[in-house]
Amino acid sequence: MESLCGLTLGADPEGFWDILEERRRSSDLSHALRTFNPQHYCRITTSSSSTINRTVLKSQYLRYITQEIAEETGEPVELVREEAAGILEEMAQNLQLGFIRLLAFSLSKTFKRLFSSIRVNEEGLSRLQAAIKDHPVILMPTHRSYVDFLVVSYILFTYDLPIPVIAAGIPLMGMKLIGEIFRRSGAFFIRRTIGSDKLYWAVLSEYVKTLVRTGFAPLEFYVEGLRSRTLKSLSPKLGMMYMILEPFIKGEVFDISLVPISISYDRVLEESLLTHELLGVPKPKETTMGLLKARKVLEENFGNMHVYFGVPVSVRDLANGKVNRSQYNLVPRDLPLKPSEDVRVFVGDVAQRVVRLQEQGMVLSPWSLMALVLIQYPEGLDWDLLTQKTLWLKGLALCYGARLDWPEQVSNLEMMSSHLALHHTVARCEKGRVLLVEEDGLHGAEPVSEEEGVLRRAAVVLICASYRNQALHVFVRPAMAAVAMTTASSVRKLDVFSQFRFLLDVFANEFIFIRNNAEQDFDQACALLQRSGAVCADEHSLNVTEEGQTTLHFLQTMLEPFIQTYKMVFRFLCESNAQVFTERNFTPAVRSFAVKLILSGELQCYECLSSDTQKNAISALLNIGAVTKSRVSEQTEFSVNKAAVMRIADTLDGHTPSLMISHSRL
Ligand SMILES: CCCCCCCCCCCCCCCC(=O)SCCNC(=O)CCNC(=O)[C@H](O)C(C)(C)COP(=O)(O)OP(=O)(O)OC[C@H]1O[C@@H](n2cnc3c(N)ncnc32)[C@H](O)[C@@H]1OP(=O)(O)O
Ligand SMILES: O=C(CO)COP(=O)(O)O
């Protein structure tokens, strides 16, 4: 079968093509050394990295800011400019085709060992090719693994598309040799927390804006800001998003195309490390030695990967009627301007929409559905029951519009058994019963303390939960409506909606919802519940059907670990003697509170140990106003309004009408 650039590749019924198939049949060296002649942006003004750097340093914007900083600090302006040049030198990429070829060769070898297939939607690449010619393009992939940025560049190279420049966290720069190879493969390095460093913000934003204005190359950045430890989408970071959109907002480019990219893994390379971070184990430092030591991962199989290139989104279309760009006609475009309220809202809205599109492009593996069932049976369940429930769930997922990797020509038994085998480190079938498998600890199979036992159990539960999380975006709206139906004061749609809206507020950091979209979310939730026959609705009420009990119960149980974790955090805040917590102490203190509750038998939910969910619970309280945040002597502190937290906990239980909470905004 033919692909975009004439390669012979394997297609599956969903329109995905396995790019490794060709690699398994022909020389990796010829692939790496083949003619590479991509079509660039039609108005590209430079293809030289050093010209980009010079343009940044000479820009009016940077001159203005360096002058301003010199006046504020009393430093000579030349010194400030030198500092700016130093920051730029640390940051700038230096893309060279030779390094791309080198990596193309090594990655072909590595990917073939790690993955059974890498499937790419070719029509998405054709759309991307067209978009690249017309406007500056921003590639926005999901971030679940270090493999993400490698595979995106690899695919673009394979399909003869321009190699992107990529915003990379600075720790990667520190890796001996690898850091430099990455820089020459298009990475530009940014500090992880910039805080109030005015000069750094200025250099970074001018650098990013120059890349966009000149159309030097597609710009790739990870709007979630880090790899999601839970495999669930993270709330987007807005700093870089703002810089990228600014050239359009200020009328310097006609349009910008944002391309969401959804990367779905059957099995994530870093599954165990990422999960342990959720339990408080520090992330290993990125070093070349660490990478070499990790090479035993090459002995494992990680199944299939799907990379879905979404439909390019026109920023111009999104901005229509939402941003008043004429306000920028009155001031020179080079001068810094604080973003107006409409721009701030717009940037956040764009980022949320892209993350939603990323979710919609994700491909679910059978294991993800199996994990959804398995996690609801912590003591394990019979294989037959797992099969029956997973197949039922497959039907529900399809009914809710999920993109599933479940080929019809393979039997269900074969599909499920092979996926269980792929995840042999997490679950196993013994005597017809499927059970979660705990990893051995540092000191062998037996835990040395009760606490270690809890954390070990939590590790495997959290890995399983992360694969469940891959599918949550498909179910979260109907699941929230299902929960709202149990706690609402009546079956009247108005009452259920008010409870639903409260849940949206509480879980705003947990799941991706677009701001001010509650009514559409609710309508969609009701429509899906109706479509699956779980409820029948008329204009004013929602009623559970007889056969809908099972669906509703399943959906409610799906959200239970999140509800339990939030309640546990609320309880911790209310029972603690202190009214104020430092950010640093919060997670360890909540963790030991949760471990105690589990050991005492008061809490059965091991997912409550996830620091990610605990932090989201605090963020929810901050958003609602029940907790406030302040900086006190270099530390972030949370002050808790215990009465407000209790009312939220009550509403979550359905004891207090949600309207009171939403309207008073506490
Ligand atoms: C063929 C084969 C080839 C293979 C070839 C391989 C290629 C191999 C390449 C390797 C490549 C690796 C790639 C790795 C992938 C990652 O490393 S992912 C991690 C790095 N990327 C990102 O993080 C991107 C997304 N992050 C952001 O946008 C973040 O906002 C930033 C820019 C990093 C800043 O982070 P932050 O300091 O935490 O800031 P943030 O929370 O966004 O904002 C802080 C405050 O600054 C304010 N602020 C925002 N903008 C500004 C501004 N311009 N001026 C002043 N203040 C501002 C905000 O309003 C905010 O204020 P508050 O609301 O808190 O009051
Ligand atoms: O630096 C990154 C490279 O992927 C992402 O940050 P984390 O390592 O925190 O996920």
Side-chain angles (χ1 to χ4, degrees):
M1 279 177 255
E2 281 298 289
S3 81
L4 256 187
C5 58
L7 297 168
T8 311
L9 305 169
D12 74 8
E14 276 275 318
F16 281 95
W17 297 69
D18 174 17
I19 56 168
L20 289 187
E21 197 178 306
E22 171 73 11
R23 295 277 40 78
R24 292 202 158 95
R25 281 197 269 114
S26 67
S27 150
D28 291 334
L29 194 61
S30 335
H31 174 249
L33 296 179
R34 52 191 256 284
T35 313
F36 181 68
N37 192 16
Q39 270 200 314
H40 291 275
Y41 172 48
C42 59
R43 289 184 203 88
I44 186 169
T45 53
T46 179
S47 55
S48 144
S49 301
S50 50
T51 307
I52 295 281
N53 300 350
R54 273 198 303 278
T55 312
V56 172
L57 287 178
K58 280 205 247 144
S59 67
Q60 281 301 328
Y61 176 67
L62 215 55
R63 277 171 198 275
Y64 182 90
I65 294 281
T66 45
Q67 184 69 46
E68 201 174 61
I69 293 175
E71 279 163 23
E72 280 164 14
T73 59
E75 276 184 60
V77 70
E78 287 71 29
L79 203 66
V80 183
R81 291 215 174 111
E82 263 174 45
E83 270 179 61
I87 294 173
L88 185 64
E89 197 183 357
E90 173 193 82
M91 181 184 300
Q93 56 75 35
N94 184 14
L95 183 56
Q96 295 170 16
L97 187 57
F99 283 83
I100 296 295
R101 293 192 187 284
L102 174 75
L103 282 174
F105 179 73
S106 358
L107 288 177
S108 293
K109 302 275 176 226
T110 314
F111 287 158
K112 281 188 283 186
R113 289 192 73 154
L114 291 175
F115 300 106
S116 309
S117 70
I118 298 181
R119 301 181 192 161
V120 182
N121 69 323
E122 290 209 324
E123 94 289 8
L125 287 164
S126 308
R127 289 188 299 244
L128 174 61
Q129 194 167 46
I132 285 174
K133 272 187 275 163
D134 293 342
H135 303 293
V137 161
I138 312 300
L139 303 173
M140 298 177 67
T142 48
H143 204 12
R144 309 286 176 264
S145 164
Y146 285 135
V147 175
D148 298 331
F149 49 84
L150 299 173
V151 83
V152 172
S153 292
Y154 182 81
I155 293 169
L156 266 56
F157 175 73
T158 301
Y159 282 89
D160 218 14
L161 292 166
I163 303 297
V165 290
I166 313 167
I170 211 150
L172 293 171
M173 187 183 90
M175 294 174 78
K176 273 202 187 88
L177 198 65
I178 304 279
E180 194 49 37
I181 294 179
F182 280 175
R183 189 190 292 280
R184 290 171 193 235
S185 306
F188 63 94
F189 296 99
I190 52 176
R191 295 188 191 157
R192 295 308 293 269
T193 39
I194 302 167
S196 56
D197 188 336
K198 190 168 165 182
L199 187 60
Y200 194 88
W201 276 113
V203 176
L204 176 60
S205 69
E206 189 57 28
Y207 186 67
V208 169
K209 287 183 280 181
T210 307
L211 289 169
V212 175
R213 283 187 211 115
T214 55
F216 173 81
L219 194 156
E220 176 177 329
F221 90 106
Y222 291 83
V223 69
E224 295 167 288
L226 69 165
R227 290 165 298 157
S228 164
R229 271 65 177 156
T230 58
L231 304 191
K232 195 160 55 63
S233 296
L234 301 175
S235 292
K237 291 263 207 172
L238 302 182
M240 182 136 314
M241 190 82 246
Y242 180 74
M243 296 169 207
I244 279 165
L245 296 179
E246 202 183 303
F248 168 77
I249 291 168
K250 289 194 172 168
E252 295 169 308
V253 293
F254 181 77
D255 198 358
I256 294 175
S257 297
L258 307 176
V259 181
I261 304 175
S262 317
I263 308 177
S264 317
Y265 296 90
D266 275 1
R267 187 178 165 206
V268 175
L269 260 79
E270 302 100 314
E271 61 179 16
S272 175
L273 281 177
L274 294 180
T275 301
H276 280 91
E277 278 187 53
L278 292 176
L279 295 170
V281 178
K283 175 175 113 168
K285 202 170 167 335
E286 292 91 340
T287 60
T288 306
M289 190 50 88
L291 183 70
L292 290 174
K293 279 193 191 145
R295 68 185 179 280
K296 70 172 189 297
V297 70
L298 290 173
E299 290 154 22
E300 288 271 330
N301 175 18
F302 292 87
N304 305 312
M305 186 199 304
H306 286 83
V307 185
Y308 179 81
F309 287 80
V311 177
V313 178
S314 152
V315 172
R316 195 177 181 82
D317 287 352
L318 287 182
N320 195 7
K322 294 207 182 118
V323 179
N324 169 18
R325 293 198 300 149
S326 60
Q327 60 190 304
Y328 295 103
N329 293 340
L330 306 172
V331 262
R333 293 197 162 79
D334 311 312
L335 294 189
L337 262 190
K338 250 191 127 43
S340 53
E341 183 56 18
D342 60 343
V343 168
R344 252 180 22 81
V345 171
F346 174 65
V347 171
D349 188 66
V350 170
Q352 298 273 355
R353 279 179 198 279
V354 172
V355 179
R356 270 301 285 145
L357 291 169
Q358 290 175 340
E359 289 188 335
Q360 285 158 4
M362 296 304 272
V363 175
L364 304 189
S365 79
W367 170 249
S368 198
L369 299 183
M370 290 163 76
L372 252 162
V373 177
L374 188 54
I375 201 82
Q376 297 194 5
Y377 293 83
E379 299 313 317
L381 79 171
D382 288 344
W383 170 260
D384 291 342
L385 188 59
L386 177 64
T387 309
Q388 182 204 325
K389 290 206 169 267
T390 306
L391 295 180
W392 169 80
L393 188 57
K394 177 187 169 195
L396 191 66
L398 288 171
C399 172
Y400 288 177
R403 210 181 276 272
L404 269 187
D405 176 31
W406 199 313
E408 274 174 20
Q409 63 276 22
V410 185
S411 76
N412 290 329
L413 178 68
E414 213 178 309
M415 232 20 225
M416 287 182 56
S417 310
S418 64
H419 277 267
L420 185 62
L422 184 68
H423 292 275
H424 61 100
T425 51
V426 181
R428 162 176 330 141
C429 187
E430 280 170 13
K431 299 190 185 125
R433 211 168 160 73
V434 182
L435 303 158
L436 292 177
V437 185
E438 285 171 36
E439 273 178 26
D440 285 354
L442 282 178
H443 308 284
E446 283 306 311
V448 291
S449 65
E450 279 186 317
E451 184 178 346
E452 195 200 321
V454 171
L455 293 176
R456 251 197 232 184
R457 178 73 190 157
V460 67
V461 168
L462 288 179
I463 297 182
C464 185
S466 66
Y467 289 100
R468 174 219 42 213
N469 288 346
Q470 284 182 322
L472 273 189
H473 63 274
V474 172
F475 302 100
V476 71
R477 284 162 184 75
M480 261 190 196
V483 173
M485 284 172 76
T486 60
T487 50
S489 52
S490 79
V491 294
R492 282 191 330 143
K493 263 190 175 170
L494 259 179
D495 292 328
V496 181
F497 174 62
S498 128
Q499 196 68 19
F500 180 87
R501 205 176 46 182
F502 163 76
L503 292 171
L504 286 192
D505 278 348
V506 171
F507 292 113
N509 293 79
E510 201 63 61
F511 308 107
I512 303 297
F513 300 109
I514 310 238
R515 253 167 72 116
N516 299 329
N517 206 41
E519 282 174 28
Q520 288 91 323
D521 280 328
F522 185 65
D523 287 346
Q524 191 198 13
C526 294
L528 291 177
L529 287 175
Q530 267 185 288
R531 196 193 291 170
S532 55
V535 299
C536 56
D538 57 33
E539 214 183 319
H540 302 293
S541 62
L542 277 176
N543 291 292
V544 189
T545 61
E546 221 177 289
E547 67 279 14
Q549 297 286 357
T550 319
T551 311
L552 285 189
H553 178 71
F554 191 88
L555 292 170
Q556 287 150 6
T557 313
M558 205 181 276
L559 292 189
E560 198 51 37
F562 299 96
I563 296 176
Q564 292 233 16
T565 309
Y566 278 50
K567 282 192 195 165
M568 183 276 294
V569 171
F570 298 165
R571 184 174 159 190
F572 164 79
L573 294 173
C574 293
E575 284 184 10
S576 167
N577 292 331
Q579 195 101 12
V580 176
F581 300 86
T582 61
E583 190 170 33
R584 187 181 304 160
N585 293 342
F586 169 74
T587 322
V590 180
R591 185 179 312 118
S592 72
F593 181 73
V595 168
K596 275 196 200 112
L597 290 180
I598 289 174
L599 285 173
S600 71
E602 265 193 85
L603 188 66
Q604 275 82 41
C605 177
Y606 284 78
E607 282 193 56
C608 289
L609 286 162
S610 163
S611 59
D612 188 77
T613 320
Q614 294 161 0
K615 286 180 197 157
N616 286 340
I618 272 284
S619 302
L621 295 177
L622 279 164
N623 290 346
I624 298 173
V627 165
T628 47
K629 194 167 152 177
S630 53
R631 292 284 294 171
V632 179
S633 52
E634 298 297 300
Q635 299 232 47
T636 300
E637 283 188 357
F638 298 127
S639 305
V640 184
N641 175 343
K642 293 190 182 187
V645 175
M646 275 182 220
R647 280 173 61 196
I648 294 170
D650 268 358
T651 312
L652 206 50
D653 281 329
H655 298 150
T656 314
S658 48
L659 271 178
M660 276 172 60
I661 302 280
S662 299
H663 285 176
S664 63
R665 302 297 295 177
L666 295 159

